[in-house]
Amino acid sequence: MMLEKIVEQYGVEEVVAKTKISKKNLEKLMKGDFSGMTRPQAYGFLKILQREFGESEFDDLKSQLDAWFLQAESEHNQEIFIASETPKEIKAKRWIVIALGLVVVLTAFYLAQKEFIGPPEQAQQAMEKSDVLDSLPVKSIEKESSQVETEAPKKEGSVPPPLDAGDSLESSAARMQNVVEENTSQPYVPLENAVITPHVKLWLGVIDLKTKKRSAKVTDSPYEIDSKGKRVIVTGHGRFEISDAFGNLFKFNDAKKHYFLIDDGMVKEIDFSEFKRLTGGKGW
């Protein structure tokens, strides 16, 4: 396998430094053990190795990846097929359900007839009560119904608490703004050897917050995120996903602009206002 020869030639530490692939994942790639790796993550590692050491050097590794994920997909489909029921079993269960339903309906009908019809004396009493109700004036019935409606309890609505006498509109607005910011803040997520994998051609912009240096590119190939330092990454209107060596996988299918803050191995998504604050009020 050419990967083993490259590691023997350059040494593990130098290969790790050039590719940013962790030593653990590099050893798994050399052994052909891709368990625990998602498809985008594994092929992202392959793209990085091809970029650094030549595409033709890793044909064997690509073949192993193709075979591995093809077998995994086949086993998954086989499990689904085995677990599925045959048409005869489905048809038999359907008839059982229909029979049980008929039994329940007939039982309910019998009990209802027995309860409401009853002996002839009860039926006669029911008819006499019905005649009395029919003889009552319509207005009296409407009056009784209106009384019942007025006596019904009113639902308590959620009333916002009143402002304190000493509070001004500005202080109240400030408190509301703090609540909104607390609810919309996003937590940091640790990433290692993170890769952006576009599903279509994607515009990417990077701003180094220390040097203020900017770079941009359009690509449909996996893009490795440099997690060192402090920088902002902006994406264009395209579908993509982010994966890393920890097994994290984040999918973005809304075709909107996204802004990410990278801070020494930690990443979180930010909004446009936070992006402008970090870049000194400048857009892209």
Side-chain angles (χ1 to χ4, degrees), residues 188 209 230-233 259-263 266-270 274 277-278:
Y188 278 99
L209 296 178
K230 192 171 184 179
R231 56 180 49 82
V232 174
I233 295 180
Y259 304 87
F260 301 94
L261 173 61
I262 311 295
D263 192 354
M266 307 293 287
V267 63
K268 71 172 181 178
E269 187 174 8
I270 59 176
E274 178 70 7
R277 187 186 69 79
L278 291 169

Side-chain angles (χ1 to χ4, degrees), residues 32 75 88 115 138 145 149 173:
E75 291 176 354
K88 290 183 178 179
E115 179 181 355
V138 176
S145 63
E149 290 178 357

Side-chain angles (χ1 to χ4, degrees), residues 115-267:
E115 179 181 355
F116 288 103
I117 294 177
E121 294 81 3
Q122 293 181 1
Q124 182 65 28
Q125 291 177 2
M127 293 178 62
E128 291 176 357
K129 289 181 179 179
S130 177
D131 293 339
V132 171
L133 288 175
D134 291 339
S135 64
L136 290 176
V138 176
K139 290 185 178 180
S140 63
I141 296 175
E142 291 178 351
K143 184 177 180 181
E144 290 177 0
S145 63
S146 64
Q147 289 177 353
V148 172
E149 290 178 357
T150 55
E151 291 174 359
K154 296 182 179 179
K155 295 183 178 178
E156 294 184 357
S158 57
V159 180
L163 294 176
D164 295 338
D167 287 349
S168 62
L169 291 177
E170 290 79 3
S171 62
S172 300
R175 288 204 305 272
M176 291 295 294
Q177 180 66 25
N178 292 334
V179 171
V180 172
E181 290 178 356
E182 290 175 2
N183 292 336
T184 57
S185 61
Q186 298 291 333
Y188 278 99
V189 177
L191 293 180
E192 179 186 358
N193 301 326
V195 177
I196 296 178
T197 305
H199 295 300
V200 294
K201 284 190 175 182
L202 181 69
W203 180 89
L204 291 170
V206 182
I207 303 176
D208 190 311
L209 296 178
K210 184 177 181 181
T211 63
K212 306 302 180 183
K213 183 179 179 182
R214 299 181 174 220
S215 60
K217 64 184 299 185
V218 177
T219 181
D220 57 359
S221 301
Y223 174 78
E224 181 187 358
I225 300 175
D226 187 0
S227 60
K228 296 180 180 179
K230 192 171 184 179
R231 56 180 49 82
V232 174
I233 295 180
V234 186
T235 68
H237 302 278
R239 295 180 292 108
F240 64 96
E241 61 186 34
I242 300 177
S243 59
D244 75 338
F246 291 131
N248 293 314
L249 180 61
F250 307 98
K251 296 183 179 181
F252 299 88
N253 297 320
D254 52 7
K256 296 180 180 179
K257 271 191 173 183
H258 291 273
Y259 304 87
F260 301 94
L261 173 61
I262 311 295
D263 192 354
D264 285 332
M266 307 293 287
V267 63

Side-chain angles (χ1 to χ4, degrees), residues 53-104:
F53 300 103
E55 186 171 352
S56 61
E57 302 293 335
F58 299 96
D59 292 339
D60 292 343
L61 179 58
K62 185 178 184 303
S63 300
Q64 288 186 359
L65 286 174
D66 293 340
W68 175 278
F69 286 105
L70 182 63
Q71 181 181 358
E73 183 177 356
S74 176
E75 291 176 354
H76 178 68
N77 293 336
Q78 185 177 3
E79 290 177 359
I80 294 175
F81 177 76
I82 292 173
S84 62
E85 297 178 340
T86 63
K88 290 183 178 179
E89 292 174 344
I90 295 174
K91 189 174 181 180
K93 287 186 176 181
R94 185 180 300 166
W95 281 112
I96 292 173
V97 172
I98 292 173
L100 290 174
L102 287 174
V103 171
V104 172

